[in-house]
Amino acid sequence: MQLSEHIWGSVVNNDYDSNYIDAHIKNIRKKLNAYAPPDWLETVRGLGYKIKINV
């Protein structure tokens, strides 16, 4: 919810059950899979997403 509020503001408050963020994340993962390890973006259940940087 915080990600969608940051991007679209309070407009999304009425549609909080939508999975548009999940759909976009899926497409980003699919497109970047050839350039990055498959686990670079981790889903943290109940919280959101975490970018894993290997140094």
Side-chain angles (χ1 to χ4, degrees):
M1 188 70 173
Q2 289 178 346
L3 182 58
S4 42
E5 284 178 358
H6 179 74
I7 295 170
W8 291 285
S10 61
V11 174
V12 295
N13 286 340
N14 297 332
D15 194 22
Y16 66 93
D17 288 334
S18 181
N19 69 339
Y20 55 87
I21 297 291
D22 297 327
H24 286 295
I25 294 292
K26 179 183 175 184
N27 289 331
I28 289 170
R29 283 182 172 147
K30 186 170 28 171
K31 289 177 182 179
L32 294 179
N33 193 31
Y35 306 103
D39 62 345
W40 70 274
L41 183 61
E42 180 180 345
T43 301
V44 181
R45 191 174 183 144
L47 294 176
Y49 302 94
K50 179 170 87 174
I51 297 174
K52 293 169 50 177
I53 300 173
N54 296 327
V55 180

